[in-house]
Amino acid sequence: DTGVSQNPRHKITKRGQNVTFRCDPISEHNRLYWYRQTLGQGPEFLTYFQNEAQLEKSRLLSDRFSAERPKGSFSTLEIQRTEQGDSAMYLCASSLVVLAGDTREQFFGPGTRLTVL
Amino acid sequence: QKEVEQNSGPLSVPEGAIASLNCTYSDRGSQSFFWYRQYSGKSPELIMSIYSNGDKEDGRFTAQLNKASQYVSLLIRDSQPSDSATYLCAVNRNTNAGKSTFGDGTTLTVKP
């Protein structure tokens, strides 16, 4: 399977705990995005990387959220001191961008569903 | 006002009919437009992309873009029950940012 993969698929945690999610993009893709989606809403942008550089982070994103892509391949998203409002589907997507300003289709992984009790 | 607006639906059409889904956006600098299909509990799946004014056809799907009116639509011909899903409109600025701004989706039900 050469698509985007995410682990774990489901995570249940207690309020105040830290959680970490992993995303493996399509192998040749240089851009990796994180989104969050709650029921009845469209995906909300969190952050994105081009290779290992984090190029943009949503202003809505709490300081409890941090993401890394250390070698320009897989990425991790960590949420510290989780709150019930963090319960959502966390989606990872990847794309291949060749030229500056060139935006191409993003392909999504299956998501990680987080439930904070 | 949300940056990307879609009718939430539900939109119900009989099998074999044409389903028409609409999306408006507020940022005149938007350059890239995408339609995703999302089944309940699953992640979005890209079905169409369009970058210039006019129509783009792919099988039973046609995307229509009118940048002057800031409007993009998706037509599904010969609708099938398997088309029942939520359809998400996504819009990108054609800059190094690259992030997509999504609407909240339109739920389509195709009745046999």
Side-chain angles (χ1 to χ4, degrees), chain B residues 14-89:
Chain B
E15 185 174 356
I18 296 175
S20 178
L21 305 163
N22 304 317
C23 172
T24 58
Y25 58 95
S26 60
D27 184 353
R28 285 196 171 273
S30 301
Q31 296 293 326
S32 308
F33 307 87
F34 307 95
W35 283 99
Y36 290 84
R37 177 175 61 199
Q38 187 172 30
Y39 294 113
S40 180
K42 302 296 185 181
S43 63
E45 173 193 9
L46 180 71
I47 54 173
M48 287 288 286
S49 58
I50 186 165
Y51 303 96
S52 56
N53 282 329
D55 294 1
K56 178 181 177 182
E57 185 175 320
D58 184 0
R60 297 186 296 112
F61 299 97
T62 298
Q64 299 174 316
L65 175 61
N66 184 326
K67 289 184 180 180
S69 299
Q70 296 174 247
Y71 175 91
V72 58
S73 66
L74 179 70
L75 299 178
I76 306 174
R77 290 181 299 281
D78 188 24
S79 296
Q80 301 297 309
S82 60
D83 294 326
S84 298
T86 296
Y87 288 81
L88 297 163
C89 173

